[in-house]
Amino acid sequence: MTAHAHRERTGHAELARALTAGGVLTPDWASAFAAVPRAAFLPEVMWPFDMAAGTSVAVSRADDPDAWQAYADADVPVVTQWDDGAHSGREPGRVSTSSASMPSVVFRMLADLDVRPGDRVLEVGTGTGWNAALLAHRAGAGNVVSVEVDGAVAARARGTLERFGAGVRVVHGDGYEGHREGAPYDRVIVTAGVRRVPFAWVRQTRPGGLVVLPWGTDFGNGDGIARLTVARDGRSAAGFFTGPVEFMKLRAQRLAPVVHGDYATGGPEERDVSTTELTEDALLGERFAPQRFAVGLRVPRCHHVLAERRDGSRPVWFYGLDDRSWACVLFRDGASARVWQSGPRRLWDEVEAAYRWWEGEGGPGHERFGLTVTADGQAAWLDAPDRSWPV
């Protein structure tokens, strides 16, 4: 065995131990993990996220095989495409548009999916093909259909899966429509962030089947893993969130960039000025804080942007997506925050009220919230579907 082959085997085993210790690699998925290494599905040049540097870095297998292998066996996300394929060169592009997710996230979602041998599975978002190969190992060859919207990504994944012998059908198409030809499915898993769940996914899943997807609001980039069970009559799907994640968004549902100059217009007389005792830490917490998720659920069609902290102060902006309403709160260390608002909606008032509601409910985590999807739309709820509101 060569030194590199030894490192490859050792790194894969170490990742398995870490995922098992963390409780995300469960015994029913251990054999799939052992048989389907992520490294077999990653490109020669990739951009893993370097936790120490806090950014994506370019790694070439030809130039530095040991570093490439180390990242392949690390619990980090790996970007495999930038700018919808328009990017070239080694430096990271502008927007990451295809990737291999963190293994811990992959196996959290697979555990939620509860795939059994013989299940028919639809995957929306093929990416590298690793997730599809894991599914095929568990469900059986010929039981997995994977839909990928990007033609180049689909072609590469199809070739990799064929060489690996995974027995997955890769379809180039818009996964937003699902894939009727293979329906009904026992399980549907989505590997892109979703803001509005297309009812096609529910319609193409058998009653009692599961749809697992990253779902979130326009408030920010964060998502929660929604685990939805299709009702007996097939007319709805509902279930709790199982925890926070963050995914690249479904291409059909990407949020267009907010242009600040389109909002903050007019003179001072058009702006309401006030103060708040709510602090930045209380409102926003860390990146995956449940209060951010809760505020997004309660304040529809609003997007927030955190500006850079300077001299103990940080502005946070809120933009209405259906009109030109906006708000800005300037958080300052050790002092009340100043608030400016303008437009048909008073967005800061809505945001603060949503936070106070969340606080009054005991500060629930993601797992107390749920989602219901019907042909007419979707609703979020707290603790039970009868406590729902449209989202």
Side-chain angles (χ1 to χ4, degrees), residues 29-30 57 86 114 124 137 141 152 184 243 266 299 301-302 307 311 340 372 379:
W29 283 100
V57 295
D114 191 26
V124 176
H137 188 276
V299 185
R301 302 292 291 159
C302 172
D311 301 323
W340 296 263
T372 297

Side-chain angles (χ1 to χ4, degrees), residues 99 101 106 109 123-127 131-132 135 146-148 189-194 201 212-214 247-250:
S99 70
S101 299
V106 167
M109 293 183 67
E123 178 190 46
V124 176
T126 312
N131 198 66
L135 286 165
S146 186
V147 183
E148 171 58 53
I189 185 168
V190 183
T191 63
V194 177
W201 298 345
V212 173
L213 68 154
F247 273 75
M248 299 174 188
K249 304 307 174 258
L250 201 70

Side-chain angles (χ1 to χ4, degrees), residues 80-81 97-98 126-128 148 150-158 170 251:
T80 55
Q81 185 200 66
T97 50
S98 191
T126 312
T128 64
E148 171 58 53
D150 187 293
V153 173
R156 183 183 182 280
R158 185 182 296 113
V170 177
R251 293 194 183 185

Side-chain angles (χ1 to χ4, degrees), residues 3 24 29 49 115 117 157 179 188 191 210 229 241 270 378:
V24 294
W29 283 100
F49 189 82
V115 175
H179 186 64
V188 173
T191 63
L210 295 175
T229 301
F241 292 94
E270 298 180 22
Q378 53 191 23

Side-chain angles (χ1 to χ4, degrees), residues 35-86:
V36 186
R38 181 165 78 151
F41 295 85
L42 294 174
E44 295 295 304
V45 176
M46 60 186 188
W47 294 264
F49 189 82
D50 186 290
M51 294 295 186
T55 188
S56 296
V57 295
V59 180
S60 166
R61 190 172 193 172
D63 295 344
D64 193 341
D66 290 341
W68 188 97
Q69 188 66 51
Y71 278 116
D73 291 327
D75 190 23
V76 297
V78 175
V79 175
T80 55
Q81 185 200 66
W82 297 92
D83 304 325
D84 293 333

